[in-house]
Amino acid sequence: MWRSVTAVVVLAAVSGCTVQTAGTSGPSGTSAEPDPIHISTAPVETPDDPKLPSPEKPAQPAKDDEATKPPAPPPKVLWARGDQGRDVREVQARLRQIAWFFQAPTGTYGPATVAAVKGFQGKRGLPQTGQTDSVTWRRLLNMTSEPGKWELYAAGDQPAAKPDPRCMTGRVMCISKTSRTLRWMIDGRTLSTMDVRFGSQYTPTREGRFNVTFKSRHHVSTLYDTPMPYAMFFSGGQAVHYSSDFAATGYNGTSHGCVNVRDEAKIAALFAQVRSGDKVVVYW
């Protein structure tokens, strides 16, 4: 009999069953026949059993934050084609300092300004938009200096200076050397404004309060043999008159002491309104 039990145990071990240990006493606690051997047919669970839950997988590393960030917004556009004003004039003046803009500043962002900005951007590896954005402006600031008044207004068009107190009454040509402008005023009201230029340090335009002594529409200088159309004389041989040289070369030249006007249409209209005896005030 023990041989058969041994055989059963061996068979159970081989088949993967669980063997329950036999008891050593009967129900009465006295020595008796051993309890029958019970063989469980339930499968033995092992660590390799595929039915066991698999160990928890390690957490995947988070994706790189930089890769998931949205692209940076483009730089802010400050000035572009069609814009006008003093800021545009400064852009042009700064570009002119470094030989990208070859005209006198106008304060209007036109084709010449677009082309100059594109050239500046391309030279520095920036997108060639022709618009002055915040990045382009910062580079331009770093390469240039603050433009002076006459850089900004190299061709004129500067704002007229505040009128001298002597200009606030009557009919007066109010001429400022500071802003290089002439205001035609009647009783404190400005009717027209125009660019003017003056004599050199060797032939300066006199300052003070004067009166128009006479007018000469087709005057020619007897001293310099040069035309002085629409001449309105106020101090000896000094007069307010149209200058074709001023119209052609701007502030690159000077007069012989007269007050030159560059806009022929404006001085023609002024000549028609001014009378002999009207005031002329030349001041800083």
Side-chain angles (χ1 to χ4, degrees), residues 173 175 177 198 203-215 219 223-224 228 231-241 255-259 276-282:
M173 287 191 284
I175 302 169
K177 284 188 170 183
F198 306 99
T203 56
T205 302
R206 289 185 282 275
E207 299 146 25
R209 182 195 180 285
F210 311 93
N211 294 94
V212 175
T213 54
F214 72 98
K215 299 166 56 178
H219 195 80
L223 183 60
Y224 299 103
M228 296 173 57
M232 294 170 279
F233 289 88
F234 62 88
S235 177
Q238 294 190 354
V240 176
H241 68 86
S255 74
H256 293 104
C258 289
V259 178
S276 294
D278 285 346
K279 285 191 296 184
V280 178
V281 176
V282 183

Side-chain angles (χ1 to χ4, degrees), residues 29-45:
T30 59
S31 175
E33 286 278 337
D35 289 338
I37 297 173
H38 300 281
I39 300 174
S40 173
T41 58
V44 177
E45 293 182 350

Side-chain angles (χ1 to χ4, degrees), residues 167-173 183-192 273-275 278:
C167 300
M168 301 310 293
T169 58
R171 300 164 57 87
V172 55
M173 287 191 284
R183 291 177 184 258
W184 169 233
M185 304 180 67
I186 297 179
D187 296 330
R189 185 165 60 97
T190 300
L191 302 182
S192 63
Q273 297 176 64
V274 171
R275 306 168 186 163
D278 285 346

